[in-house]
Each structure stands twice: as structure tokens, then as C-alpha cells.
Amino acid sequence: MAFQLPALKYDYKALEPYIDAMTMDIHYNKHHGGYTNNLNAAIEGTSLTALPIEEILKDVSKLSPAVRNNGGGYYNHNLFWEIMSPNGGGRPQGELLNLIEKFFGSFNEFKEKFSNAAATRFGSGWAWLVWSDGSLKVFSTPNQDNPLMDVAEIKGIPILGLDVWEHAYYLKYQNRRPEYIQNFWNVIDWKAVESKLQMAISKL
Amino acid sequence: MKHELPKLPYAMNAVSQAISERTIEFHYGKHHQAYVNNLNSLIPGTPFENATLEQIILEAEGPIFNNGAQVWNHTFYFETFSPLPKQQPEGEFMWLLVETFGSFDEFKSKFSTAAATLFGSGWAWLVVDTNGKLAITQESNAGNPLRKGQKPLLTCDVWEHAYYLDYQNRRPEYIQAFWSIIDWSIIEKRFLAAK
């Protein structure tokens, strides 16, 4: 069965003023839609079509660059839309906050570490908060790689991701990536991140 | 040694049939300038304090390489544009392009494919390779062919910042427009110097 572009749970303009409607429209329909179509084309007629995306990414070093790039692009954008909301922002609560404080010292120290990972990724890529070997870690990956892939420097289950490809922010922020990163904190859906954490913990 | 942002050899709106004034303002005025500024703040107290950009490209790693190579790459890219370009090469260089790639159009098509298919941020290049032959290559991020002993003749920036304000996700349209402002007299001079 072919992979589908998942429906967005909010309007293109819902994340304004932090992420503008034109960026959402092009990012979702053209970029995410493009990765979805290219992934389907790359796996058509192979046994990979029977696997969930997570399983495909796990052994991606043995697969073609088209599967790595487009499979990563498909998964990463799915996650990105899920962890944002027009009612987002604020701080995490409960176990997520406890674990963030345990592994990073405080929420603010975590924010700084994550923002720094996003700002210093040279070229295109993603910053991640990952559940990995029983702890939370922050790092970044190039292009459309992610922590599920066997090629990743740190492997684990991503629970929060920030797209720092220029297409994610250039229409509104141009060269000002740090401003985009700062505004991202206003749209993070911490409940969605918490539920990803619970799923990640129960899997390991 | 303090590195400087070189002057653009044309006005910001001079190549707007392909690249808008707004894009040039950001690309040259902000991105290129930031690479110069970053490099100048990174090198004091390092072995690269008095190095040329070429030495940095050959020997540096990490942020000094990234910023130094990006200064060089952008200068090399912006230098090739003209509002009144020589539209195709001639002489020995043209002859070699045809011999290597089949025809001038075939060359353009192969170079365009290299630029369109580079995944993520980076550059497409026409180089004289280590065997003295013309070749089309791709480099990610700040990559530069000098590092591999090749001599660059032409480059196309396919970082999204080079085209996103004008073309958004339509990178192939940007590449097609790119050809209309390439001044082949400049590439010919580079070829003669590389021989």
C-alpha cells in the first residue's frame, strides 16, 4: 500500500504569526507531498511496500539514497506537523518535564541546548529531542536523516523535531534562522510530545 | 588577515530576469556578508589567521572551512552573472565542451541535472578534473572542488536561499533561468587560466 500524505489537523494559517500560511501550504503540499510521491516511486514493486515507515528507516544504509532521502522526508514532516498546534507553547508537564529536568538540568537549559543544535546545523537538516537508551538526548542530523536510521550518530525514537531546511522558514525569516527557532517554542504541542515520549518508553 | 566582501560587479537589480533584487540583497548582502564576518571572527589565534581562502579550503575543517569555502564559493558564483552576458562560449573551450558532453545543450542539460538532483544544500560545478578533462560534479553544503585538486570553472548555488524567494520549491525553474545570466566570457577566461 502506498504511503499517504497525512491530513493536517489545523489550517495553513493556524500557526501564524510564527509560521505563515504560504510557507505551510508550500511546505506541506509541495515539499512533504514531493517526499511522499518520491518515496512511493522509490519502493514501488519491492517488498518494502509492506513495511511501516519506521521499519524501512531502520535498515536504510542498505537501501537506495532515494529511499533514505524521501523516506526520511516523509517521516520527519509527519512528526513535525504532529508536534505543533495553534494552542501550543508554554512548558511541558508531568513525566516529560521531570525527564527534561533530570537529563538537562532545567527546561530552560534544554531549550537552549535544542535551539543551539538547530541554529548550528550547517546546511539543511533537523534538530531532535530523542528517547535513546533510557535517556533524553538532543542533537541534529543532516538533510532528511533522523534518529531511527541506522546511519544516525545517535539512535533512538524522536519525540520532538525542528526542520531547519531553509524552505521551512525562508519566506518569512530569510537568513534569520535564530528568530524562526525562537518562535517555534510558541507552537510546540507539548501534549503531543508527551504522548510520543510515552509510546517511546513503552516500546523499549 | 581580514577578509572583505568583494563588490558586486553589477547593480542588485541587474539580473532580475533570473534572480530578483530582493534575493540578491539577502544572498549577497546577508548570507555572503555573514560568511565573511563569521570567518573573520573565527580565525584570530588559529593557524588560519593569515591564510588565504584557498589555503583555508585546502586545509581547514569545521566552521573555519565552512565559512571560508562559502566566502569563496559565493564570490565565484556572483562573478559569473551579467545583465548583458556573452550567451555561449567559443573557441577551444567550446570545442572541449562539445567533445566532452556531445553539444553545448547536452552540457547544459547534464549540469542542470546535477544541480537539480543534489539533495539538501550545496553546489553544482563544472571543473577541470585531475586528468585535465572537463567534468560536472556536485558538492554538499560548503564543498569546493579545489579540495579534490580540481579547477572550478562554473558553479550554481542550490542552497534554498539562492532561489526560495523567487521560485520556492521549483528549483529546476531557477536553474533554467540561471543560464540566461551566465557570462561565458568569464568562464572562458577561467578556462584559459586553468589550462
Side-chain angles (χ1 to χ4, degrees), chain A residues 67-84:
Chain A
V67 175
R68 175 174 173 174
N69 294 339
N70 294 297
Y74 176 72
Y75 177 92
N76 296 347
H77 288 88
N78 286 358
L79 180 140
F80 189 49
W81 311 133
E82 277 175 41
I83 54 84
M84 293 192 290

Side-chain angles (χ1 to χ4, degrees), chain B residues 38-192:
Chain B
N38 291 343
L39 182 65
N40 284 330
S41 71
L42 285 165
I43 53 178
T46 77
F48 299 102
E49 185 158 6
N50 295 306
T52 62
L53 288 178
E54 287 77 8
Q55 287 171 306
I56 288 171
I57 287 168
L58 293 177
E59 294 164 26
E61 304 289 344
I64 294 182
F65 170 79
N66 286 340
N67 286 286
Q70 285 293 76
V71 172
W72 195 100
N73 293 351
H74 282 89
T75 300
F76 196 76
Y77 168 78
F78 286 125
E79 270 177 3
T80 49
F81 300 153
S82 164
L84 289 167
K86 176 173 179 176
Q87 289 176 346
Q88 55 174 47
E90 58 188 340
E92 185 189 356
F93 177 56
M94 181 60 146
W95 188 85
L96 255 186
L97 270 180
V98 171
E99 187 191 57
T100 311
F101 301 105
S103 68
F104 183 55
D105 282 344
E106 273 285 293
F107 155 71
K108 278 174 36 177
S109 156
K110 284 173 179 154
F111 185 99
S112 297
T113 300
T117 58
L118 184 130
F119 192 72
S121 299
W123 303 78
W125 300 87
L126 172 67
V127 301
V128 178
D129 71 14
T130 50
N131 299 317
K133 303 248 190 276
L134 293 181
I136 294 167
T137 68
Q138 297 172 320
E139 296 284 347
S140 288
N141 295 336
N144 180 299
L146 292 172
R147 186 113 171 165
K148 296 173 177 162
Q150 302 162 340
K151 294 172 182 166
L153 302 179
L154 169 71
T155 193
C156 182
D157 187 349
V158 293
W159 283 59
E160 287 171 323
H161 66 230
Y163 60 87
Y164 214 79
L165 295 177
D166 299 334
Y167 300 97
Q168 295 87 47
N169 59 301
R170 303 184 310 280
R171 191 195 285 186
E173 276 180 43
Y174 154 70
I175 297 165
Q176 199 178 345
F178 163 84
W179 295 115
S180 71
I181 54 171
I182 294 296
D183 186 346
W184 286 98
S185 68
I186 293 162
I187 319 301
E188 284 170 356
K189 280 185 202 132
R190 289 175 178 172
F191 170 73
L192 291 174

Side-chain angles (χ1 to χ4, degrees), chain A residues 34-55:
Chain A
Y35 293 126
T36 308
N37 294 339
N38 293 339
L39 171 63
N40 285 326
I43 63 172
E44 196 181 351
T46 75
S47 57
L48 296 174
T49 53
L51 296 178
I53 187 65
E54 291 84 351
E55 291 297 311

Side-chain angles (χ1 to χ4, degrees), chain A residues 133-166:
Chain A
D133 282 337
S135 75
L136 286 177
K137 292 174 186 165
V138 162
F139 74 116
S140 72
T141 54
N143 294 335
Q144 294 296 354
D145 287 358
N146 72 39
L148 295 175
M149 293 181 177
D150 56 356
V151 295
E153 183 191 340
I154 293 176
K155 282 171 269 301
I157 299 177
I159 63 170
L160 174 69
L162 174 58
D163 189 346
V164 292
W165 281 59
E166 288 171 321

Side-chain angles (χ1 to χ4, degrees), chain A residues 90-105:
Chain A
R91 296 160 65 96
Q93 296 179 336
E95 190 176 7
L96 177 56
L97 181 62
N98 291 341
L99 287 171
I100 283 175
E101 287 172 345
K102 178 178 171 191
F103 293 110
F104 302 104

